[in-house]
Amino acid sequence: HCLGGRGPGRGDEVRRFDERMRKSLNREPRYLLEEKFDGASLELVYENGILGRGVTRGDGREGEDVTENVKTIRSLPLRLHSVARKPPRLLALRAEVMIKISAFEALNRKLLERGNEPFANPRNAAAGSLRQLDPRITAARPLDVVVYEVMAVEGVRFSTDSQAFKSLDGWGLPTPKKVFTVST
């Protein structure tokens, strides 16, 4: 997730990383490339297939419990699907909560019509919406979520990141749509 980006030297940084991987593996590496989203980072915890906790990143060590607000995000299942594969006992995920540009613009128009201050950008709008004290306010906001990392899992094993994404999709979790496995 940290190799992309813009700015001077990024290409050289990626090439050096690739060289180190090739040397340490002594073979051609395989990389999973996915879209980068700019929203509010979130940790989700499912226990026995049921959403139990949603926590913001906070200061990097301790986050804010936003479980009740997270449960209002329509694209996030409260219970994992179990048709293709039984959900694990524990599944801790990293996700990004965001507001799409068109929904952000519509939200700001509504705020202005009501005489309220608009949000500065979609990222701030998503983070502010997630941290509301009243979950009804969060539910009224056009939040979306994308799950992009398995942080911990008990009861299931994944041999590759691609297999993990396939399982997350099968459980009904929203994952990045553009994911590619490459070796160069």
Side-chain angles (χ1 to χ4, degrees), residues 4-174:
R6 297 176 195 199
R10 289 291 188 192
D12 291 339
E13 201 176 309
V14 171
R15 277 188 281 287
R16 284 193 303 273
F17 175 82
D18 181 55
E19 288 170 11
R20 285 194 313 272
M21 291 299 102
R22 289 173 187 281
K23 284 180 184 175
S24 68
L25 293 172
N26 207 19
R27 63 177 167 79
E28 186 173 83
R30 307 245 333 133
Y31 301 109
L32 187 74
L33 304 179
E34 60 189 80
E35 299 169 277
K36 169 76 171 90
F37 296 98
D38 189 22
S41 184
L42 181 68
E43 181 180 334
L44 302 168
V45 179
Y46 284 85
E47 297 170 278
N48 296 313
I50 298 170
L51 179 61
R53 194 167 56 251
V55 181
T56 65
R57 179 183 290 223
D59 63 7
R61 290 174 15 132
E62 190 172 317
E64 181 179 346
D65 185 335
V66 291
T67 304
E68 294 309 308
N69 292 349
V70 166
K71 288 179 177 180
T72 69
I73 301 173
R74 290 172 193 84
S75 59
L76 189 68
L78 300 179
R79 178 182 294 272
L80 299 179
H81 304 169
S82 58
V83 175
R85 186 176 197 182
K86 183 181 176 195
R89 287 186 304 276
L90 174 77
L91 182 63
L93 305 164
R94 176 74 64 205
E96 201 78 5
V97 175
M98 67 203 106
I99 297 178
K100 293 179 180 162
I101 298 291
S102 58
F104 169 74
E105 291 168 349
L107 174 62
N108 268 351
R109 277 193 302 277
K110 282 183 190 175
L111 290 171
L112 287 169
E113 286 169 6
R114 294 180 187 148
N116 296 325
E117 192 70 26
F119 286 104
N121 56 58
R123 182 186 213 184
N124 288 358
S129 298
L130 194 58
R131 299 180 70 223
Q132 289 293 315
L133 296 176
D134 184 350
R136 292 175 297 186
I137 295 172
T138 305
R141 302 275 170 83
L143 294 176
D144 219 340
V145 65
V146 173
V147 174
Y148 63 88
E149 181 182 359
V150 175
M151 298 173 62
V153 63
E154 292 176 9
V156 171
R157 294 185 64 87
F158 305 118
S159 58
T160 64
D161 287 339
S162 296
Q163 185 186 62
F165 271 121
K166 187 174 181 177
S167 292
L168 295 175
D169 283 336
W171 290 322
L173 291 160

